[in-house]
Amino acid sequence: MSREKKVIFAIGSNASEREKLIDKAKHELENLFQDTVFSRCAETEAIGLGTGAPDFLNCIGTATTTLPSCEVIRQAFKDIERRMGDTRQKREGGCITIDLDLLKLDMEKQHPMDWERPYIKMLMKEMNVK
């Protein structure tokens, strides 16, 4: 039996129905993980998508899981993104339907640049997670 590990992840969308999409992603993540808790949502400027890209709505979540590896979780995230309609073509056009990023599994940090983003730091502080 696999032991439970703590997971921290980020959710973001800059699509026109971003609130609805974030809520749907939360539901999908609650089905994937045990004991899921989400932060409040924060609006942020688009980073790296060019001038005029719509602002993002972002939140973070924590949970526990017995999934065996970062790769399994990342694949599950990609599957959720795909099922929710996120495509490479949309991303290339500056529209991110839904973006799910694994930030930490157990003691292993992922996406080091994301840890430096002010909204990630703020939401983690508000949730009292590290």
Side-chain angles (χ1 to χ4, degrees):
M1 185 166 98
S2 298
R3 71 176 180 83
E4 286 190 344
K5 299 169 282 250
K6 183 171 184 167
V7 177
I8 303 172
F9 51 87
I11 309 169
S13 176
N14 75 343
S16 60
E17 295 186 333
R18 59 193 186 164
E19 294 89 358
K20 183 178 175 181
L21 291 162
I22 295 282
D23 286 344
K24 184 174 180 180
K26 286 179 177 180
H27 178 73
E28 293 284 338
L29 291 162
E30 287 171 333
N31 289 331
L32 179 63
F33 296 123
Q34 305 167 31
D35 307 325
T36 310
V37 177
F38 297 101
S39 71
R40 69 177 177 87
C41 288
E43 190 167 348
T44 63
E45 291 183 11
I47 299 171
L49 293 179
T51 307
D55 288 346
F56 273 78
L57 193 61
N58 299 285
C59 70
I60 62 169
T62 64
T64 56
T65 187
T66 56
L67 291 173
S69 70
C70 292
E71 277 310 309
V72 170
I73 293 170
R74 280 195 282 271
Q75 188 57 47
F77 284 2
K78 291 300 173 201
D79 185 53
I80 292 169
E81 290 172 348
R82 182 188 49 75
R83 284 187 283 120
M84 289 184 63
D86 195 56
T87 65
R88 177 176 288 156
Q89 293 79 13
K90 287 181 183 178
R91 285 179 178 246
E92 289 171 356
C95 177
I96 311 299
T97 304
I98 199 73
D99 187 39
L100 304 174
D101 289 322
L102 176 62
L103 298 177
K104 189 174 184 182
L105 176 60
D106 212 11
M107 300 306 292
E108 187 178 339
K109 285 186 176 181
Q110 307 291 314
H111 292 277
M113 289 176 49
D114 286 354
W115 285 85
E116 297 306 313
R117 297 193 193 282
Y119 76 91
I120 294 284
K121 288 180 177 183
M122 175 186 66
L123 294 173
M124 286 187 150
K125 183 177 180 180
E126 288 176 9
M127 290 184 71
N128 197 29
V129 295
K130 300 174 184 172

